[in-house]
């Protein structure tokens, strides 16, 4: 069979995993990334469930382990920093997973281990796609015209190419939670645990250790308007207003964000779609099914999707429709499992009133008790399946 050509848009976890596996299975691969250079940054992501098996098949388990964030567990704290409840890091899928790594370190690890021959172009985006029978022609902002057998759209939750090609099918569910992430200097009060502070007004402050000698901080505010369209200074000013009286380490985080180089603002939005492919175009990762940190496991699902896509296309030769349908069928139960959390979870996790906060703290105590630990363990299980991964076709094994 002649060498097949895939264009992949987006060079983060889903796009790089697809590049890795499609190249491994004999494709010519061209990756386009909008950013001018590799995008570093981001907080902890974890490799759970069947994603551990995919990582092992990539030969990257030890490389990811070597970049462990050093976090040893999770504690819920009050305004004085006193520990109210504690979730230990117990086993591969505990609250702090065994394979816990910063998003940027994870993506760079895949990038640095791509098979020979993957072409990556930074600072370019797709401006037009012509999906004709049996081929797809991609035109880019820099004027390139690429003829391919497959276009993989892995542009994340706010994917423009997805909206252009699948717009009528995109169901966006804004969870009403604004988050800002960034890296701040470590201080003597930071320890090896993820410290999680919840207060009234639907506000949370998170501090987590990293393996670079700094601290990863996050502020989250529920019932918030979307701040992702504001520029950085305006978005941070809005967080400053909202967290002015939040207490604990909120002020330190806000001051740190003023000079942080990797501030990332997000509005948690689930993406739900009835299909993830049309003709010779398919979606991977958050572009197709963003689960948000409320569901958890976005990075694991993104990693798995690259393998499953390449495996399904390796056994169906030029029967693309069959291969892409098999990819969707395999991935969908994993996605449904994390997208379907109960609606009351958001107001419960982000209480507005003192009463709500008291209730939340009671439940935190209960779920961290040894009595309920089997139930709690289920909450952090994602990408969990008893199904075997689809095999890679013999010609490509
Ligand atoms: C800089 C950054 C920081 C993040 N920080 C966190 C975090 O702290 N916590 C968390 O839970 N999740 C974070 N995420 C999201 C997390 O990476 C994803 O939820 C998950 O890993 C799935 O990855 P993905 O590859 O599908 O999407 P993403 O990781 O969102 O990657 C999408 C990629 O596509 C690129 N792109 C977007 N539009 C275009 C376009 N039109 N053309 C070409 N390329 C395009 C983006 O620059 C990006 O590299 C972050 C993502 C990024 C990009």
């Amino acid at each position: 069979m002649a060498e097949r050509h895939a264009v992949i848009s987006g060079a983060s976890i889903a796009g790089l995993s697809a590049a890795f596996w499609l190249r491994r299975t004999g494709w010519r691969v061209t990756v386009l990334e909008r950013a001018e250079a590799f995008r570093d940054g981001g907080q902890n992501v974890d490799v759970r469930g069947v994603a551990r098996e995919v990582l092992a098949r990539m030969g990257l388990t030890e490389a990811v382990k070597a970049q462990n964030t050093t976090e040893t567990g999770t504690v819920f704290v009050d305004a004085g920093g006193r520990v109210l409840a504690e979730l230990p890091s117990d086993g591969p899928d505990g609250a702090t997973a065994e394979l816990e790594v910063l998003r940027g370190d994870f993506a760079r690890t895949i990038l640095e281990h791509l098979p020979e021959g993957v072409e990556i172009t930074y600072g370019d985006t797709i401006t037009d796609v012509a999906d004709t029978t049996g081929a797809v022609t991609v035109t880019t902002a820099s004027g390139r015209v690429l003829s391919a057998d497959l276009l993989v759209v892995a542009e994340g939750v706010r994917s423009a190419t997805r909206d252009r090609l699948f717009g009528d099918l995109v169901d966006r569910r804004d969870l009403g939670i604004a988050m800002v992430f960034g890296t701040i200097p470590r201080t003597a009060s930071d320890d090896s645990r993820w410290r999680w502070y919840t207060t009234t007004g639907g506000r949370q402050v998170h501090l987590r250790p990293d393996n670079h000698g700094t601290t990863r901080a996050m502020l989250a505010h529920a019932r918030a308007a979307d701040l992702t369209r504001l520029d950085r200074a305006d978005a941070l000013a809005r967080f400053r207003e909202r967290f002015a009286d939040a207490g604990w380490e909120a002020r330190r985080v806000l001051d740190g964000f003023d000079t942080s180089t990797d501030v990332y603002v997000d509005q948690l939005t689930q993406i739900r779609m009835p299909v993830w492919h049309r003709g010779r175009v398919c979606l991977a990762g958050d572009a197709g099914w963003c689960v948000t940190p409320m569901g958890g496991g976005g990075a694991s699902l993104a990693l798995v999707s690259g393998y499953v896509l390449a495996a399904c296309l390796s056994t169906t030769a030029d029967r693309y429709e069959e291969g892409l349908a098999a990819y969707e069928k395999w991935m969908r139960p994993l996605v449904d499992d994390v997208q379907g959390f109960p609606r009351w979870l958001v107001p419960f996790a982000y209480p507005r009133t003192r009463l709500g906060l008291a209730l939340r703290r009671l439940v935190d105590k209960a779920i961290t008790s040894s009595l309920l630990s089997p139930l709690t363990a289920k909450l952090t299980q994602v990408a969990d399946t008893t199904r075997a991964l689809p095999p890679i076709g013999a010609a490509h094994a």
Side-chain angles (χ1 to χ4, degrees), residues 301-354:
L301 294 174
L303 186 77
V304 172
S305 68
Y307 173 89
V308 174
L309 177 65
C312 291
L313 290 170
S314 76
T315 50
T316 48
D318 58 359
R319 301 186 310 282
Y320 283 81
E321 173 55 36
E322 191 182 323
L324 293 173
Y327 157 68
E328 275 199 39
K329 191 168 174 214
W330 207 93
M331 287 303 299
R332 196 164 286 278
L334 296 185
V335 172
D336 288 350
D337 188 40
V338 276
Q339 281 197 327
F341 62 81
R343 292 293 113 195
W344 53 260
L345 198 58
V346 173
F348 167 74
Y350 292 87
R352 214 160 20 152
T353 62
R354 283 179 184 283

Side-chain angles (χ1 to χ4, degrees), residues 8-16 32-35 37-45 103-104 106-107 121 124-126 153-161 164 179 181-182 217-218 262-264 266 268 284-293 297-303 305:
I8 300 172
S9 186
S12 181
I13 294 162
L16 292 173
L32 303 171
E33 163 60 46
R34 182 179 59 186
F38 169 72
R39 281 189 80 177
D40 207 342
Q43 303 222 336
N44 302 42
V45 294
R103 189 212 69 93
F106 190 28
T121 302
D124 206 1
T125 54
I126 294 174
V153 179
E155 298 173 354
V157 59
R158 273 166 254 289
S159 166
T161 308
R164 189 177 314 127
M179 286 186 175
F181 304 90
M218 191 263 276
D262 62 351
V263 164
Y264 172 80
D266 198 10
L268 301 199
D286 281 7
W289 55 71
C290 181
V291 294
T292 81
S300 292
L301 294 174
L303 186 77
S305 68

Side-chain angles (χ1 to χ4, degrees), residues 30-351:
T30 307
V31 181
L32 303 171
E33 163 60 46
R34 182 179 59 186
E36 293 297 331
F38 169 72
R39 281 189 80 177
D40 207 342
Q43 303 222 336
N44 302 42
V45 294
D46 37 38
V47 185
R48 293 177 185 270
V50 70
R52 281 199 300 275
E53 174 62 23
V54 171
L55 195 69
R57 292 186 189 192
M58 293 166 103
L60 297 182
T61 305
E62 292 311 315
V64 168
K65 261 193 196 156
Q67 298 180 77
N68 183 285
T69 59
T70 69
E71 187 174 290
T72 56
T74 306
V75 290
F76 299 106
V77 299
D78 68 11
R82 284 173 292 272
V83 173
L84 300 169
E86 177 156 13
L87 277 170
S89 173
D90 51 353
D93 285 333
T96 296
E98 181 192 11
L99 292 173
E100 191 97 15
V101 62
L102 295 177
R103 189 212 69 93
D105 288 348
F106 190 28
R108 190 185 303 95
T109 301
I110 307 171
L111 178 74
E112 286 174 352
H113 291 85
L114 286 176
E116 270 303 287
V118 174
E119 182 208 326
I120 303 192
T121 302
Y122 290 98
D124 206 1
T125 54
I126 294 174
T127 51
D128 190 48
V129 177
D131 187 2
T132 47
T133 316
V136 60
T137 305
V138 170
T139 307
T140 76
S142 70
R144 288 176 82 186
V145 178
L146 300 162
S147 176
D149 299 285
L150 180 72
L151 168 62
V152 182
V153 179
E155 298 173 354
V157 59
R158 273 166 254 289
S159 166
T161 308
R162 173 206 59 208
D163 288 350
R164 189 177 314 127
L165 301 177
F166 295 81
D168 52 326
L169 299 176
V170 184
D171 174 2
R172 279 179 198 75
R173 300 198 183 177
D174 181 348
L175 301 185
I177 301 169
M179 286 186 175
V180 56
F181 304 90
T183 305
I184 63 172
R186 185 174 291 189
T187 63
S189 65
D190 295 335
D191 58 26
S192 65
R193 299 166 303 176
W194 172 2
R195 291 183 297 151
W196 178 332
Y197 169 65
T198 302
T199 188
T200 52
R203 295 169 295 179
Q204 294 185 0
V205 181
H206 297 247
L207 292 173
R208 306 182 74 167
D210 69 19
N211 48 321
H212 297 279
T214 43
T215 292
R216 304 282 155 155
M218 191 263 276
L219 303 176
H221 183 217
R223 294 164 207 86
D226 188 350
L227 303 182
T228 55
R229 288 177 206 283
L230 300 183
D231 67 23
R232 172 192 158 124
D234 288 344
L236 286 180
R238 300 281 274 277
F239 275 102
R240 203 171 263 286
E241 276 163 31
R242 293 167 184 183
F243 281 78
D245 63 346
W248 192 48
E249 306 239 14
R251 183 153 307 165
R252 170 190 159 208
V253 172
L254 285 159
D255 291 345
F257 283 171
D258 281 343
T259 50
S260 174
T261 53
D262 62 351
V263 164
Y264 172 80
V265 178
D266 198 10
Q267 176 78 9
L268 301 199
T269 308
Q270 272 192 350
I271 298 293
R272 297 189 183 207
M273 299 188 57
V275 294
W276 292 323
H277 75 283
R278 249 182 186 174
R280 292 295 184 91
V281 183
C282 77
L283 304 172
D286 281 7
W289 55 71
C290 181
V291 294
T292 81
M294 278 306 285
S300 292
L301 294 174
L303 186 77
V304 172
S305 68
Y307 173 89
V308 174
L309 177 65
C312 291
L313 290 170
S314 76
T315 50
T316 48
D318 58 359
R319 301 186 310 282
Y320 283 81
E321 173 55 36
E322 191 182 323
L324 293 173
Y327 157 68
E328 275 199 39
K329 191 168 174 214
W330 207 93
M331 287 303 299
R332 196 164 286 278
L334 296 185
V335 172
D336 288 350
D337 188 40
V338 276
Q339 281 197 327
F341 62 81
R343 292 293 113 195
W344 53 260
L345 198 58
V346 173
F348 167 74
Y350 292 87

